[in-house]
Amino acid sequence: MTALTLASLPPHIIKSIIGYVIEAPGDFEDLIAEHVSVNVFKPLPHVCGSWRAVAMPIMFSGCNVSLGSNTMFAYQAVEANPCMVERVSPLYNKYVRVVSLKIDYFGIADGSVMQRLQGSGFGASCFPNARQANFEIEFTPVSTVGAAEALDNVKQIIVFLQQALPKVNSTSIEIIDRIPGDRDIHSHALSVLVDHVTQDNSSTKLQLQQTSRPSIVDTLCVHNLTNLECQWDSNHMHLARLIHVNSRTLQQLRICVHEMPKFRNLIFTETNALVVFPYLEHLIIRKPPHARVGVMPAIDCVAPFPRLKRLQVTFEYPFSDDLPFRSNNSSLGIVSIMLDHRTIRLLSAYAVFGKDRLRALQHLVVGKLDGQRAEQNDCYRDFFNWVLPRVRYLFIHNPLDTQILLQTLPPKRDFGNLELLSVLHSTISLSQIVQMLVAFPQLKTLVCQYSNMGDKFSGMSIRQVAAMLRSKYDPLNQHIQTLCIYDFPANSINMVAASILLLADRCPHLRMI
């Protein structure tokens, strides 16, 4: 057998080593580089040719372009380093797959951005292999450019960017509006810019931050809009028209709701026609901090999200019915919601927890809500008895829910599907950890916070507990591989260590603690 050397290592092994060096496990090529110092990367391409071939595409897979008073470039590996470069480097450009441009819109409108780009080496086929372009377009209060002149300058930079990025087929556009009031800010020129940079796209992401100005939203022409992030505020009807036009291409919608009753305008036009989102897979609903947004009234017999795969609501359930759960029983696999007894009873009344509902559900995140009472435990038990045989990944953020979960587990019944259980915000005892490992025989990962030995082992020495576990469980759990047990501050480190060793003794495939 030939011994491996550094030069003869397979590429996937070299990639794993680089991932270990930068402390980014798994697929890390798309990570933002501020997490990595350039000094960590510097030696890697100089090991040998094989290492250089693997390291260079990772080091320079992205280029961030800041078009402020000076044009500055930062390749991915030097993003966090204050030493940025003023000209693009042909040596690295062939590796770049993602180009991000931070632009002051009025710099485009008055032609100054074009002048700075031309003087920086950013020219035709500058990034020949880039597939994605990210634009951050910011409006600032200063502008003396007329609309006609702005449009001419916008058209020039469109041609320039298309030549510099010939293979881009995916675009992300973030529009940041910092201008007070509602005066016209060259909305037609902006629309032309967005129209042209997205027309050949296979997918387009649009972020409207601090932008409810009708003159911007009404004129936008976005091609193949697949991903939208927006504010659903007092001017939401202008945004609704943009969404309705793109309802058949949207795949992900992140929406910050200011008044939940007006969410109805998302799924109905101004003429009361139903809008269906046939390809929407991710729906994420949030609200402004500390805002009270109300509840959307019930709507019968409509199913606007038939292929939804992921539903995330970051506050108390804002619907009066099961609207987001309709007609997606075979696709909805990830649900993250705040559950209280009102929500559980509401969804139960609409048979969401019925036998033939949510057949694809595998990943459930139960958020934390304040004010939950112990006298409502029965509905939680019914909920967990429905959930546990179905899901593979369960995250619980409310300590009370964890205690109800433990009460739900009968002594001689197992729930064989669960592979990951996270109850990080709850303190549980060693005896309760044992209870979970027995109840979930397929469990591979358990995340929890340690409290004490528990009532079951109260008054017993470590040796006696070990003997009891060995006599009763052989093994305790065959599949558990990772235990993430966080020490509660009041505990002795020796007791925590002893408890971990007791678990490791009865779990033969445990690899990481």
Side-chain angles (χ1 to χ4, degrees):
M1 180 177 179
T2 305
L4 287 175
T5 65
L6 282 177
S8 63
L9 287 174
H12 70 279
I13 299 295
I14 299 174
K15 184 177 177 181
S16 297
I17 294 172
I18 295 173
Y20 177 80
V21 169
I22 65 174
E23 298 181 345
D27 189 1
F28 52 84
E29 289 182 331
D30 295 329
L31 290 179
I32 302 300
E34 58 254 29
H35 301 299
V36 184
S37 167
V38 65
N39 293 323
V40 174
F41 267 124
K42 273 183 177 178
L44 300 178
H46 301 290
V47 175
C48 63
S50 299
W51 280 63
R52 182 176 180 82
V54 175
M56 291 295 280
I58 297 172
M59 291 177 66
F60 301 102
S61 61
C63 183
N64 297 328
V65 185
S66 177
L67 300 172
S69 57
N70 294 309
T71 300
M72 302 299 287
F73 297 86
Y75 291 92
Q76 178 170 334
V78 296
E79 166 75 9
N81 196 295
C83 181
M84 301 172 74
V85 293
E86 295 185 1
R87 293 182 61 84
V88 292
S89 172
L91 179 65
Y92 306 138
N93 289 351
K94 64 181 179 181
Y95 301 111
V96 172
R97 295 295 185 272
V98 180
V99 178
S100 300
L101 299 99
K102 185 174 182 179
I103 304 172
D104 178 350
Y105 168 77
F106 293 122
I108 297 177
D110 66 14
S112 60
V113 163
M114 173 68 83
Q115 294 173 6
R116 293 197 297 272
L117 281 175
Q118 289 173 331
S120 64
F122 196 117
S125 297
C126 182
F127 297 102
N129 298 311
R131 295 296 189 272
Q132 180 176 333
N134 302 328
F135 294 89
E136 181 181 311
I137 304 173
E138 182 173 354
F139 290 89
T140 53
V142 180
S143 175
T144 58
V145 183
E149 181 184 353
L151 183 59
D152 288 340
N153 289 329
V154 163
K155 289 179 178 178
Q156 288 183 39
I157 204 165
I158 287 170
V159 174
F160 182 82
L161 292 174
Q162 289 175 334
Q163 292 174 348
L165 306 167
K167 295 184 180 179
V168 165
N169 59 13
S170 177
T171 303
S172 171
I173 302 173
E174 180 177 5
I175 299 175
I176 302 174
D177 182 6
R178 303 195 188 281
I179 300 179
D182 194 34
R183 65 186 180 87
D184 183 76
I185 49 172
H186 309 124
S187 54
H188 176 60
L190 174 65
S191 178
V192 170
L193 175 63
V194 173
D195 180 9
H196 279 77
V197 300
T198 64
Q199 64 181 352
D200 295 325
N201 281 0
S202 59
S203 65
T204 301
K205 176 181 179 180
L206 178 63
Q207 293 176 269
L208 298 175
Q209 299 294 342
Q210 304 178 15
T211 304
S212 56
R213 188 185 305 271
S215 61
I216 289 181
V217 178
D218 284 346
T219 58
L220 283 180
C221 179
V222 186
H223 298 273
N224 289 319
L225 182 61
T226 57
N227 189 319
L228 176 64
E229 183 173 343
C230 59
Q231 300 276 338
W232 200 254
D233 54 17
S234 57
N235 289 317
H236 70 278
M237 288 305 300
H238 301 274
L239 187 60
R241 298 185 194 107
L242 173 67
I243 293 175
H244 295 163
V245 168
N246 294 279
S247 62
R248 298 193 64 81
T249 61
L250 272 174
Q251 297 175 13
Q252 179 167 314
L253 177 60
R254 294 173 177 263
I255 189 165
C256 182
V257 178
H258 292 243
E259 295 180 65
M260 197 61 204
K262 294 180 179 178
F263 192 83
R264 184 185 190 279
N265 296 324
L266 178 74
I267 57 176
F268 286 98
T269 67
E270 293 174 275
T271 59
N272 212 35
L274 175 65
V275 179
V276 177
F277 298 81
Y279 301 106
L280 190 70
E281 296 182 350
H282 295 182
L283 176 60
I284 300 155
I285 307 173
R286 57 186 180 89
K287 68 173 185 176
H290 312 298
R292 303 184 70 175
V293 298
V295 177
M296 179 177 168
I299 301 175
D300 295 330
C301 304
V302 299
F305 314 117
R307 294 188 183 177
L308 199 63
K309 294 182 178 180
R310 176 186 176 187
L311 172 65
Q312 180 179 350
V313 182
T314 63
F315 55 101
E316 56 271 19
Y317 187 72
F319 298 93
S320 300
D321 52 22
D322 63 337
L323 181 74
F325 295 97
R326 293 176 186 166
S327 297
N328 48 37
N329 295 317
S330 60
S331 63
L332 188 56
I334 302 175
V335 176
S336 176
I337 55 177
M338 301 276 194
L339 279 180
D340 58 8
H341 71 286
R342 180 194 70 84
T343 302
I344 291 177
R345 287 173 176 160
L346 171 68
L347 296 179
S348 297
Y350 282 91
V352 172
F353 305 136
K355 181 179 179 181
D356 295 325
R357 299 289 298 273
L358 298 181
R359 295 187 300 272
L361 183 63
Q362 294 193 355
H363 189 134
L364 178 66
V365 181
V366 181
K368 181 178 180 180
L369 273 182
D370 296 327
Q372 296 181 344
R373 306 267 180 199
E375 58 264 24
Q376 294 144 0
N377 287 359
D378 286 346
C379 73
Y380 288 101
R381 290 193 189 95
D382 293 341
F383 169 73
F384 280 124
N385 274 314
W386 178 87
V387 162
L388 289 175
R390 289 169 169 77
V391 299
R392 294 173 60 192
Y393 311 99
L394 179 61
F395 299 79
I396 300 176
H397 295 306
N398 192 340
L400 178 59
D401 289 342
T402 302
Q403 296 305 316
I404 298 170
L405 169 67
L406 291 165
Q407 296 168 18
T408 302
L409 302 178
K412 294 187 177 180
R413 179 185 173 190
D414 67 67
F415 300 94
N417 293 328
L418 198 65
E419 296 180 12
L420 184 151
L421 175 61
S422 174
V423 289
L424 177 58
H425 299 280
S426 306
T427 55
I428 60 177
S429 66
L430 175 64
S431 60
Q432 290 171 328
I433 294 174
V434 170
Q435 182 185 2
M436 289 180 175
L437 293 177
V438 172
F440 305 118
Q442 300 298 319
L443 199 64
K444 296 179 180 178
T445 302
L446 174 63
V447 182
C448 61
Q449 196 173 109
Y450 181 87
S451 60
N452 52 49
M453 296 291 286
D455 295 339
K456 187 175 180 180
F457 302 135
S458 178
M460 298 174 64
S461 67
I462 296 297
R463 185 168 296 183
Q464 288 172 325
V465 174
M468 176 182 171
L469 292 176
R470 285 173 184 159
S471 64
K472 193 171 182 179
Y473 304 108
D474 186 26
L476 180 60
N477 188 296
Q478 279 275 21
H479 294 89
I480 190 74
Q481 297 177 4
T482 305
L483 277 175
C484 300
I485 300 179
Y486 294 84
D487 179 23
F488 196 63
N491 288 307
S492 160
I493 187 64
N494 292 333
M495 185 61 69
V496 176
S499 299
I500 291 174
L501 290 174
L502 288 170
L503 294 170
D505 180 58
R506 295 290 85 201
C507 300
H509 294 99
L510 191 63
R511 298 176 183 174
M512 185 181 300
I513 299 177

